[in-house]
Amino acid sequence: METVFYSLQDFMLCTKTVTYVLMGLGLFGLLGYWLFLTGRDESIRKF
């Protein structure tokens, strides 16, 4: 896969797009991890 950037604007648009995609994936990953940590089974109460 060879990408040719013909101008600085093309390069900046590509890098900004990749950055936003990675940030979005990171947010979904953190959300999933948070739900994993807080969704534990509660202990059984023994009265």
Side-chain angles (χ1 to χ4, degrees), residues 7-42:
S7 67
L8 180 61
Q9 181 67 29
D10 290 339
F11 176 72
M12 295 299 287
L13 181 65
C14 182
T15 54
K16 188 179 280 192
T17 303
V18 170
T19 303
Y20 283 139
V21 168
L22 290 175
M23 286 183 352
L25 290 174
L27 282 173
F28 280 115
L30 284 174
L31 177 65
Y33 186 63
W34 179 258
L35 291 175
F36 171 73
L37 288 178
T38 58
R40 296 182 294 195
D41 293 337
E42 297 199 14

